[in-house]
Amino acid sequence: MFKKKVWLLFIVFFVCTGLVREIDTVNAAGAGSLKLGVNDKLTEIEAVSIKDTYFVPLRDLSLETNLVLTLQGDGINVKGNNGSIKLLNDHATALLPNGKTIALDTFLKNGRTMVPVKMTSHLGFLISFKPVESLLRVHNSGAKLNDAAFVNQHKKALQPNVTTGTTGTKGKVVYLSFDDGPSATTSQLLDILAKYDAKATFFMLGNNMNAHASQVKRLVKEGHAPGLHGMTHVKDKFYASPASALKEMNDDNAILKKLTGQSTTLIRTPYGSKPYLTKPFRDKVLTQGYHLWDWNVDSEDWRYKNDSNSIYNTVMREVHGLKKSSPVILMHDQKATLKVLPRILATLKKEGYEFHIITSDMTPNNFWKDHR
C-alpha cells in the first residue's frame, strides 16, 4: 500500500507541474517490444522500442533491480548498488553524480514513467542487446549465465522483434557506419541511403560539422544516428593524454548539440581504439557516459579509394565470414565511397539484411571488448 501511494504521488507531481509528456503509441518506424532480462531472469517487463531506443516502466525496473527511487524537487533520484542518476523534470536530461548533465529522454505512458534501458549503465549494469536472438538484458555481478546460455535457457519465451528481410530471412541486421564526415558529398550519400531504405551511423568530426551544418541536421532528421569522432583526427593531438581525448569528444558533442539540439554517447576514436586508446584513456572517457564503437568489417575504402571492385569484394567477404555477430561496417564519408555503396546496399538487401542504426543501449562492439 505504501509503494502504491508513493507512485500516485509521483504521477500527481508530474502532472501538476505540467512536465509530463504523454505518449500513447509506439513510433511505427521503430515499433516492437522485447521482454527484459535481468541477470539470469527473463522478466515480464515489456521494453518498447521508440526511435531505436528501448523504454521500460521505471517502477517495474526498480523492483527487478533493487533500485531506490527518491522524489526530489528537481526530479527523481535513482540509486542502485553501484551508481546513481537523477532524472530531471524536463524529461530530456539527467544529472550524474559528478555534476555532468547528459541527454536522457523519459515520458509518461498510461500513467507510468518510462525510462530508457540504457539508463542502467549508470547504475552498475551492463546491457546486452542482440536483435537476432531477441535478447535485451541488463546484468551485473549477480548474473551466472553468459548471453548465449541466457538465450538458450529462455529461447521458448523470447519473442522475435525483427521484421522479415526482402528474401524472407529473419533477423539479419547490418550496421553501416561512416567516419570523417560530414563532407561536400554527404547529401549524395544520404540520397543513396534513402533510395535503399537504409539507416546508418555517422561518426563525425567537429570542424566538419561546423562546415556542413545543413547535412548534420538532415541526417538526424532522416533517422540516421549521429556519433562522435573527435575534433582534429591528428593522432598526436587526440591521444596526447586521456584528458585531451575526452576534451575532443566533449567539444565534438557540444557542436552536435548546438546544431541539432541533441547530444550522443556514441564515439569512435581516430584510427580505431587499438592500440592507442589504452585503459587510462578508456577509463577517462567511458566513465563520462560515452560508449566506444569500432567495427568488425573494414571496407578498406580508405585504402582502395577508386577501386570499387576491391572495396565491394572486401565488404562481402568479411560480412559472409561473420558467424555470430551482426556486421558493423566501416566506411568513410567521401566521394570514392559513393561509387560502390549502391552495389553493396543492393546485394545486402537482396540477401535479406536490414540496415539499422547503432543505439546507446546496445552492447558496444570494440576491439578492447570494453562493454561500458
Side-chain angles (χ1 to χ4, degrees):
M1 180 62 70
F2 174 76
K3 290 183 178 179
K4 183 176 181 180
K5 288 182 178 179
V6 170
W7 276 96
L8 286 173
L9 286 173
F10 279 178
I11 294 169
V12 170
F13 174 79
F14 287 140
V15 172
C16 289
T17 55
L19 296 172
V20 167
R21 293 183 296 158
E22 178 74 34
I23 297 180
D24 290 314
T25 58
V26 177
N27 183 289
S33 64
L34 290 175
K35 287 185 177 179
L36 179 69
V38 176
N39 285 334
D40 297 338
K41 176 183 177 182
L42 184 63
T43 73
E44 293 302 315
I45 298 175
E46 289 288 339
V48 295
S49 174
I50 300 176
K51 294 182 179 179
D52 295 298
T53 296
Y54 279 93
F55 290 82
V56 295
L58 176 59
R59 180 189 182 188
D60 295 348
L61 179 67
S62 69
L63 294 175
E64 291 288 352
T65 55
N66 298 314
L67 304 178
V68 177
L69 308 178
T70 305
L71 181 62
Q72 299 179 340
D74 54 351
I76 302 175
N77 191 66
V78 183
K79 188 178 188 310
N81 291 332
N82 294 293
S84 65
I85 190 170
K86 181 182 287 186
L87 308 177
L88 299 180
N89 288 338
D90 62 3
H91 296 280
T93 54
L95 186 66
L96 299 180
N98 62 7
K100 179 182 177 181
T101 300
I102 62 170
L104 196 109
D105 286 330
T106 64
F107 60 88
L108 194 72
K109 179 178 174 64
N110 298 329
R112 299 188 298 174
T113 301
M114 304 292 289
V115 298
V117 174
K118 65 183 179 183
M119 182 192 75
T120 61
S121 66
H122 299 286
L123 304 172
F125 289 88
L126 297 175
I127 302 170
S128 297
F129 176 59
K130 298 181 179 180
V132 174
E133 293 89 350
S134 301
L135 173 68
L136 178 62
R137 178 191 185 205
V138 298
H139 50 98
N140 56 20
S141 59
K144 305 301 181 185
L145 302 176
N146 61 25
D147 287 340
F150 180 90
V151 170
N152 185 61
Q153 178 168 307
H154 299 289
K155 58 186 176 182
K156 290 184 179 180
L158 290 172
Q159 297 297 318
N161 78 315
V162 291
T163 57
T164 302
T166 55
T167 61
T169 304
K170 290 186 177 181
K172 297 176 69 172
V173 175
V174 63
Y175 300 96
L176 306 169
S177 64
F178 296 92
D179 284 10
D180 298 352
S183 70
T185 57
T186 302
S187 60
Q188 295 171 259
L189 175 56
L190 293 173
D191 289 342
I192 294 171
L193 292 172
K195 179 180 178 180
Y196 288 90
D197 192 25
K199 301 301 181 186
T201 304
F202 288 78
F203 291 97
M204 297 178 287
L205 295 167
N207 293 329
N208 287 352
M209 283 198 284
N210 275 329
H212 303 280
S214 62
Q215 302 308 321
V216 180
K217 294 175 183 177
R218 178 185 168 186
L219 70 88
V220 169
K221 182 178 180 181
E222 294 183 2
H224 302 286
L228 309 175
H229 202 39
M231 296 293 295
T232 65
H233 211 291
V234 177
K235 183 185 71 174
D236 292 341
K237 290 183 178 180
F238 185 94
Y239 297 103
S241 69
S244 67
L246 176 61
K247 184 177 186 303
E248 287 215 14
M249 290 306 181
N250 285 341
D251 290 348
D252 200 8
N253 219 0
I255 293 172
L256 176 65
K257 177 76 171 180
K258 177 188 69 175
L259 296 177
T260 67
Q262 64 177 259
S263 55
T264 184
T265 63
L266 304 177
I267 65 169
R268 176 176 289 164
T269 55
Y271 310 104
S273 65
K274 270 194 175 182
Y276 306 114
L277 202 74
T278 55
K279 190 174 187 300
F281 282 84
R282 299 198 308 281
D283 287 346
K284 183 72 172 181
V285 176
L286 301 186
T287 54
Q288 299 304 303
Y290 288 117
H291 303 296
L292 176 65
W293 282 82
D294 288 309
W295 57 86
N296 54 23
V297 174
D298 186 351
S299 69
E300 298 196 10
D301 58 352
W302 54 272
R303 180 196 302 274
Y304 295 117
K305 295 295 184 182
N306 294 320
D307 186 354
S308 294
N309 284 333
S310 292
I311 297 172
Y312 174 83
N313 291 333
T314 298
V315 169
M316 300 315 300
R317 180 179 66 252
E318 293 193 14
V319 167
H320 293 155
L322 292 173
K323 302 302 181 185
K324 296 182 179 180
S325 301
S326 295
V328 180
I329 303 177
L330 168 66
M331 289 180 281
H332 291 80
D333 189 342
Q334 60 183 12
K335 187 176 181 180
T337 305
L338 299 177
K339 298 179 180 180
V340 68
L341 184 59
R343 185 180 174 193
I344 292 173
L345 297 181
T347 299
L348 291 174
K349 195 163 188 178
K350 184 178 180 181
E351 292 183 358
Y353 282 95
E354 293 184 337
F355 307 97
H356 290 195
I357 62 171
I358 296 170
T359 62
S360 58
D361 54 357
M362 293 169 55
T363 300
N365 184 326
N366 58 65
F367 302 143
W368 297 96
K369 301 186 186 303
D370 192 327
H371 298 317
R372 284 180 285 183

